[in-house]
Amino acid sequence: MDVVDTWTGRTACALQEALRMTNEAFAKKLGVATRTVAGWHKEPDIVPRTEMQAALDTEYERAGETVQRRFSLLSRPPEERTQAQALRVAIAVVTRADEVLLVCRRGDAALSWQFPAGMVKPGGSIESVAIQETHAETGVHCAVREQLGSRVHPQTGVLASYVLCAYLAGEAENRDSVENVDVAWVPRAALTRFIPADRIYPPVLKALEAA
């Protein structure tokens, strides 16, 4: 979690955006008038009074990890935000009957199960990258069924685009031993045993329940 030394109108509005709140809802949460929040939008360099600094500290500390990571991105200078969001990753949610395909990646501190994914170069196709990276990583051929949406990934800060894919052919195997430790078909009902539910993009969970 980033530490905010002094809140300004700009960082207060970044917290509001990270919480996805209207001016009215954010003002109510902080116990101030709506015009106060509107004033922060008009004067981003203003420094709120001491008691408001404490109130903003409290709401930031109470926020979940996803909100805090979103705030970290939104509070960066505009040029840094643009650079971070320019990085786009295509994530393939591949299903076969009642199973979903996962890869187990090597991390800095621990292993983590994830959906197959790959970086999308400028001008590249999300669907093509999802299909190509799935085959490159796992040997599985798939076809895109639908796009599930995009978000700024709470762990990496890059723009992640999700596509639901149907299995076509191929045996699942680890074809990228540098990045991955294992590949597996996992029962959809057991997915959250591998990836915590709060880390899964909600439209992915909804699509898997409906598929």
Side-chain angles (χ1 to χ4, degrees):
M1 182 178 71
D2 292 345
V3 175
V4 180
D5 291 328
T6 302
W7 290 93
T8 63
R10 180 176 293 102
T11 51
C13 291
L15 178 59
Q16 176 190 355
E17 189 175 352
L19 289 165
R20 303 193 190 284
M21 287 187 165
T22 63
N23 285 4
E24 292 77 9
F26 193 48
K28 183 176 180 180
K29 192 174 188 67
L30 293 171
V32 299
T34 303
R35 64 176 178 273
T36 299
V37 176
W40 294 338
H41 285 274
K42 292 180 180 179
E43 298 182 66
D45 293 326
I46 193 172
V47 177
R49 61 186 186 276
T50 302
E51 56 268 33
M52 185 51 54
Q53 295 279 331
L56 288 163
D57 283 339
T58 298
E59 293 307 327
Y60 177 51
E61 290 163 5
R62 286 177 178 172
E65 182 181 354
T66 298
V67 171
Q68 290 170 354
R69 287 182 179 275
R70 191 181 299 131
F71 169 81
S72 178
L73 176 64
L74 293 170
S75 60
R76 296 177 188 176
E79 61 274 14
E80 290 186 19
R81 288 181 58 182
T82 301
Q83 182 178 16
Q85 292 183 338
L87 297 175
R88 182 187 291 269
V89 172
I91 299 178
V93 182
V94 185
T95 61
R96 182 184 68 176
D98 63 348
E99 299 175 313
V100 62
L101 184 64
L102 298 181
V103 297
C104 185
R105 298 201 189 283
R106 304 178 192 275
D108 294 333
L111 302 177
S112 64
W113 287 94
Q114 303 175 20
F115 301 107
M119 192 69 67
V120 181
K121 295 180 180 179
S125 164
I126 295 168
E127 291 88 345
S128 295
V129 170
I131 291 170
Q132 292 166 5
E133 288 298 320
T134 296
H135 183 257
E137 286 190 285
T138 71
V140 168
H141 293 278
C142 64
V144 173
R145 291 173 54 188
E146 63 177 299
Q147 292 194 16
L148 298 175
S150 301
R151 66 169 174 172
V152 175
H153 198 281
Q155 275 72 51
T156 63
V158 303
L159 186 60
S161 296
Y162 298 78
V163 290
L164 182 64
C165 302
Y167 168 80
L168 294 179
E171 294 296 328
E173 59 180 351
N174 184 10
R175 291 192 171 185
D176 187 352
S177 57
V178 174
E179 294 286 337
N180 303 328
V181 175
D182 198 5
V183 171
W185 287 105
V186 173
R188 277 181 276 176
L191 176 60
T192 54
R193 297 179 188 174
F194 294 80
I195 307 176
D198 61 355
R199 294 187 182 181
I200 302 174
Y201 186 42
V204 170
L205 289 174
K206 185 176 180 180
L208 290 175
E209 289 172 358

